[in-house]
Amino acid sequence: MSDTPVSRLANRAAAATPQPLARRVRGLSDRAIAWIFIAPTIVLLLAINIFPLIWTIRLSFTNYRANRPNEVVKNVGIDNYTRILGDEDIWLAMQATAHFVFWTIVLQTIIGFALAWAIDRKFRGHALWTTIILIPMMLSPAVVGNFWRFLYQPQIGLFNTIVSVFTGADPSSFEMLGTVDLAPWAIVIVDTWMWTPYVMLICLAGLRSIPDYIYEAAEVDRASPWRQFWTITVPMAAPFIMLAVLFRGIENFKMFDMVNLLTGGGPGSTTEVASITLKREAFEKWRTGFSSAFAIILFVAVFGLANIYVKALNRVKSR
Amino acid sequence: MKALGLSAVAVVAGLAAFAHTGEAKAAGELTLCWAAWDPANALVELSKDFEKQSGTTMKFEFVPWPNFADRMLNELNSGGKLCDLLIGDSQWLGGSAENGYYVKLNEFFDKEGIKMSDFAPATVYAYSTWPKGSENYWALPAMGDANAWVYRKDWFSRPELQAEFKEKTGRDLAPPKTWEELKQTAEFFQGRDIDGKKVYGAAIFTERASEGITMGATSALYSYGFKYENTPGKYDMQGAVNSPDAVKGLEMYKALYKCCTPPGYTDSYMGEGLDAFKSGQVAMMMNWFAFWPGMYKDENVGGDKIGFFVNPSQVVAASTLGGQGISVVANTDNMDGALAYIKWFAQPDVQKKWWQLGGYSCHTAVLNDPSFKESQPFAADFLVAMGQVQDFWQEPAYASLLQAMQKRLHDYVVADQGTAQEALDKLIEDWTEVFQDEGKL
């Protein structure tokens, strides 16, 4: 062993280690020591992720109900899956989810990137503005859901009052959470308000990772700011933007808490996103087998889409 | 590795011991679970007598109504030991009896001389029996309740409003006797300026998530002749659930929602109704009898300012049933203590005090007392309502049945989707599927 500072430190540590322990450690291979370190994590992963997943897959082929402990559990084959895929209400929930995911991603990406670009100008007070913009994402979704209910209240809500100032409409003449046409947009607005700062942060990291010399070279070549934006800023920040879209897409696909507090899925079933339907099936109707199948379908959908997306992301990064 | 394994076992054992200690209750301790509302506070007060007499320490777990069913059914389903006694909704009886979550009380009642004939028949049927109408008792009727109405008597008695109403409708401005009159009265108040403030017609139930809109709309549906089955126990719903009268009832409920509720009243239940009424926004409010003692005592809108009336009839006289029975949770570690509480609670003197404190006793010693009708301004109405109550399915699959109705009603009433006929037709489809899954059809 060479006489480096690290090896000297290792020798001193070995000398200070009590004999029996040192003997045991010396007897283990590197691989064994590695296993000892990662075993607790693997056990936890198996216990709280893999085992429940396998168990859920198993339950999805049965008629099991968690509230009927005495009932005989029957194997129903793929019945649960065929019923889900043929259920009109489930498809309506998927449509509501798609509307929510699509529009929140579009709005959050555009606004988040615009804010990041503005903050990146490093104008006077930009640090203070960054902090202020970040406040919504620091709040709990439960708090956000509750106070936006008040903001949307037709008689006393600030949102309706502000809209009425600009449009001249009576504040109580429209109900953001109670009208079929407006409720899907009401939840999009709240999610955009809350999570745009998150997208902004990721985009800001992307913008700040672009070396200044590239812009300086572009200046020398007399490239216009518009051309610099489209040929340098956007392509170089694209992997970061795509990462933000991935995170928000996965999060919003399984959105539950905020929507549940704002509308409870209503009016009617207008804003009943997939996770609310899943919760109702699993913990209100107690159709455990059926809801397990639905959970697996959602998991496969998110996992599959995310995988395709990550491959696209890697292609963009490698360019 | 062996030492590592032993350490892990020791840690797990330690954690298990800690968890067990956390769950264990003192021997002389009972936990009673119920919803968090006015009567629960009265029960805390009442139970102090039991604590004095028995030396038992009473603990209470009260859960807000919107989460009550979720929380308690989760507790029962998971075999939890939180509750020794549970005042659960009548609809839970079927499932709790069949799944062994409640203790069957027949033997105990016989041994202690507790007679079900001492309680109002409608409450015994609704709160205690499963299968319905059988002599299998799973609870003692604890809290009688039904959906009813409160109105602003001070507004109704204003001469100028009375004259205007008479001129418009040809009848006196008084508590409505039918749903047609109810809507007419609500329309009269809608958007009216009273004491410089814009007021609205009525606060009704429209809540989507738990049971709100079902409890509200059935108040109209039952009065118009809605039935769950043509023949009780046969699950033959076609022509009963979607009868022409039932369709009219649902159309009426939607019409009342559209014409006469305050803005933003799209997802409202008990709490929102109380807020609207107490803040002087509405002339009438639908809510449970349980809230009337507190409402009558309210400093701003209570006392002589308000009056009460039974749910209006249309084709038949009917009220939606609320209320609960008290059951012993089979999983309790203090079975003797829990049964002792039931025995104590069933005594006529305790029941009388229960009524005085604001609880709704179902005991005939209270209800048949000659002074009962005069004891509270809403007492006579309570007797009428309890004589005409109808309840939702109490089947083990009640939650699936309820969720289907919540969805179909909210889709039609609030979200404006389809017609009343379509909503009730689809409801039959949903319910048929549930009963087929249950093997009952």
Side-chain angles (χ1 to χ4, degrees):
Chain A
M1 189 184 282
S2 62
D3 189 26
T4 63
V6 175
S7 64
R8 280 200 298 275
L9 192 65
N11 287 335
R12 276 210 300 277
T17 307
Q19 273 306 307
L21 179 63
R23 223 179 4 251
R24 281 208 302 276
V25 171
R26 266 190 232 119
L28 292 173
S29 65
D30 286 354
R31 180 172 286 272
I33 292 170
W35 271 108
I36 288 172
F37 278 110
I38 63 169
T41 310
I42 288 181
V43 169
L44 272 179
L45 188 72
L46 286 170
I48 63 178
N49 272 353
I50 307 301
F51 171 72
L53 179 64
I54 293 168
W55 195 250
T56 305
I57 293 170
R58 196 186 95 77
L59 289 180
S60 72
F61 296 106
T62 68
N63 67 344
Y64 178 63
R65 285 170 181 263
N67 67 337
R68 309 268 177 92
N70 305 328
E71 215 165 81
V72 178
V73 179
K74 285 184 204 152
N75 199 323
V76 295
I78 58 165
D79 273 11
N80 287 329
Y81 289 91
T82 50
R83 280 173 80 170
I84 288 165
L85 295 174
D87 189 332
E88 191 189 332
D89 293 335
I90 296 275
W91 283 108
L92 287 174
M94 296 305 282
Q95 276 177 31
T97 310
H99 179 276
F100 178 70
V101 172
F102 177 78
W103 285 109
T104 49
I105 286 178
V106 167
L107 291 173
Q108 286 170 28
T109 307
I110 293 170
I111 302 171
F113 186 79
L115 284 173
W117 188 82
I119 293 288
D120 195 40
R121 303 296 96 194
K122 294 187 180 143
F123 55 86
R124 189 180 166 86
H126 74 276
L128 176 68
W129 279 108
T130 307
T131 310
I132 291 171
I133 291 169
L134 291 181
I135 288 174
M137 64 173 267
M138 296 175 191
L139 299 172
S140 144
V143 173
V144 171
N146 272 323
F147 81 61
W148 271 91
R149 266 182 85 104
F150 288 111
L151 291 175
Y152 281 142
Q153 220 286 332
Q155 294 176 80
I156 54 164
L158 194 63
F159 184 89
N160 282 35
T161 308
I162 290 170
V163 171
S164 76
V165 167
F166 287 107
T167 62
D170 180 3
S172 56
S173 64
F174 63 99
E175 295 167 4
M176 289 300 291
L177 298 177
T179 312
V180 173
D181 294 337
L182 296 179
W185 294 106
I187 58 173
V188 167
I189 289 170
V190 178
D191 193 76
T192 302
W193 175 83
M194 187 172 179
W195 290 109
T196 296
Y198 177 77
V199 177
M200 181 200 82
L201 268 188
I202 296 177
C203 291
L204 192 59
L207 292 175
R208 292 200 172 155
S209 70
I210 304 172
D212 284 344
Y213 68 82
I214 298 180
Y215 288 107
E216 287 161 9
E219 294 273 341
V220 171
D221 290 343
R222 295 192 174 181
S224 67
W226 182 250
R227 190 168 172 79
Q228 287 179 33
F229 179 78
W230 284 110
T231 54
I232 301 171
T233 310
V234 172
M236 296 199 74
F240 290 85
I241 298 170
M242 289 183 75
L243 205 61
V245 167
L246 176 69
F247 289 156
R248 291 311 306 147
I250 292 172
E251 276 296 306
N252 280 358
F253 200 86
K254 55 194 178 73
M255 168 58 69
F256 173 77
D257 41 12
M258 194 194 72
V259 176
N260 194 45
L261 277 160
L262 274 171
T263 63
S269 307
T270 315
T271 58
E272 190 172 308
V273 290
S275 52
I276 292 183
T277 308
L278 181 59
K279 184 254 182 183
R280 285 193 170 136
E281 292 294 339
F283 301 112
E284 289 177 17
K285 298 180 182 176
W286 293 99
R287 299 167 78 190
T288 316
F290 183 87
S291 54
S292 296
F294 189 28
I296 294 299
I297 289 172
L298 291 178
F299 171 74
V300 169
V302 175
F303 192 73
L305 288 173
N307 262 315
I308 294 167
Y309 190 86
V310 167
K311 278 187 182 145
L313 176 65
N314 287 336
R315 255 203 308 274
V316 170
K317 276 165 76 179
S318 64
R319 258 193 269 155
Chain B
M1 279 305 274
K2 195 176 168 188
L4 198 71
L6 284 173
S7 308
V9 170
V11 169
V12 171
L15 284 173
F18 178 77
H20 184 72
T21 314
E23 244 180 36
K25 290 177 187 169
E29 196 174 280
L30 275 179
T31 302
L32 189 153
C33 300
W34 199 10
W37 60 336
D38 290 355
N41 300 328
L43 190 66
V44 173
E45 198 57 35
L46 182 74
S47 298
K48 285 177 183 168
D49 290 349
F50 176 73
E51 289 183 302
K52 270 186 215 158
Q53 286 175 24
S54 65
T56 302
T57 304
M58 290 299 295
K59 291 178 75 180
F60 298 91
E61 185 72 24
F62 297 146
V63 181
W65 269 111
N67 308 104
F68 180 53
D70 271 6
R71 174 76 182 86
M72 287 304 143
L73 293 177
N74 266 320
E75 182 66 24
L76 293 175
N77 293 333
S78 61
K81 287 181 175 287
L82 173 70
C83 314
D84 301 299
L85 292 157
L86 174 60
I87 303 186
D89 257 340
S90 51
Q91 301 97 317
W92 305 356
L93 264 184
S96 298
E98 293 199 1
N99 296 323
Y101 298 151
Y102 287 169
V103 174
K104 191 175 175 185
L105 296 169
N106 289 53
E107 208 175 296
F108 166 71
F109 285 165
D110 291 343
K111 187 179 148 205
E112 298 297 341
I114 298 169
K115 294 180 201 147
M116 284 292 103
S117 56
D118 286 341
F119 292 84
T123 66
V124 174
Y125 179 87
Y127 305 147
S128 302
T129 62
W130 182 262
K132 283 291 102 189
S134 70
E135 290 193 352
N136 298 303
Y137 304 120
W138 304 89
L140 182 85
M143 170 78 192
D145 205 357
N147 207 2
W149 295 79
V150 60
Y151 71 102
R152 289 297 297 262
K153 200 198 270 183
D154 53 343
W155 296 355
F156 276 55
S157 59
R158 291 188 181 190
E160 72 278 13
L161 294 181
Q162 285 188 332
E164 190 185 332
F165 187 80
K166 181 93 178 177
E167 192 186 319
K168 276 187 177 169
T169 66
R171 64 180 182 85
D172 291 333
L173 181 54
K177 300 272 184 241
T178 65
W179 274 82
E180 298 283 358
E181 288 183 10
L182 177 76
K183 181 168 167 273
Q184 205 175 41
T185 311
E187 279 170 337
F188 177 74
F189 280 102
Q190 183 74 4
R192 185 168 288 274
D193 195 296
I194 293 184
D195 301 333
K197 192 174 166 184
K198 191 176 182 181
V199 304
Y200 302 93
I204 60 175
F205 298 159
T206 58
E207 186 248 14
R208 168 71 175 88
S210 61
E211 58 169 22
I213 197 165
T214 299
M215 295 298 118
T218 48
S219 294
L221 287 167
Y222 295 149
S223 293
Y224 272 82
F226 168 95
K227 292 278 171 208
Y228 290 97
E229 305 160 280
N230 291 305
T231 321
K234 296 285 179 199
Y235 307 101
D236 48 352
M237 298 170 282
Q238 201 63 245
V241 168
N242 59 354
S243 67
D245 281 340
V247 170
K248 279 185 201 161
L250 188 52
E251 284 170 348
M252 169 56 77
Y253 197 73
K254 179 170 181 171
L256 184 64
Y257 164 72
K258 288 287 175 195
C259 78
C260 308
T261 52
Y265 216 71
T266 55
D267 191 19
S268 306
Y269 197 20
M270 308 172 215
E272 289 79 7
L274 292 169
D275 288 345
F277 193 81
K278 286 181 177 177
S279 61
Q281 270 197 78
V282 288
M284 297 177 286
M285 174 186 63
M286 161 193 279
N287 223 319
W288 303 103
F289 271 100
F291 292 108
W292 291 177
M295 185 61 71
Y296 191 64
K297 286 180 196 158
D298 191 272
E299 285 178 5
N300 296 321
V301 296
D304 293 339
K305 288 182 183 170
I306 56 172
F308 306 91
F309 61 93
V310 184
N311 188 49
S313 57
Q314 191 68 36
V315 177
V316 293
S319 298
T320 299
L321 181 81
Q324 299 90 24
I326 182 168
S327 299
V328 176
V329 177
N331 219 14
T332 177
D333 287 332
N334 190 358
M335 184 67 75
D336 292 343
L339 292 171
Y341 187 91
I342 300 265
K343 182 184 171 188
W344 168 82
F345 187 72
Q347 296 173 87
D349 287 347
V350 175
Q351 289 288 315
K352 281 177 185 168
K353 190 170 180 186
W354 176 222
W355 168 243
Q356 284 164 8
L357 288 171
Y360 282 81
S361 170
C362 306
H363 203 287
T364 50
V366 178
L367 303 177
N368 295 344
D369 188 308
S371 64
F372 179 78
K373 285 184 182 176
E374 307 301 324
S375 61
Q376 292 281 5
F378 40 82
D381 286 343
F382 176 64
L383 281 185
V384 174
M386 292 312 288
Q388 61 183 38
V389 284
Q390 294 189 34
D391 198 11
F392 190 74
W393 296 105
Q394 292 193 359
E395 297 283 326
Y398 104 92
S400 296
L401 301 164
L402 180 63
Q403 276 307 318
M405 191 159 192
Q406 285 286 107
K407 177 181 165 54
R408 296 304 173 198
L409 294 183
H410 214 267
D411 273 345
Y412 169 66
V413 175
V414 179
D416 262 340
Q417 288 170 1
T419 64
Q421 183 71 56
E422 285 166 357
L424 295 175
D425 289 346
K426 283 180 184 170
L427 184 59
I428 293 178
E429 287 173 23
D430 295 340
W431 283 354
T432 301
E433 194 183 330
V434 173
F435 287 125
Q436 280 170 346
D437 277 354
E438 293 285 300
K440 294 188 173 177
L441 273 177

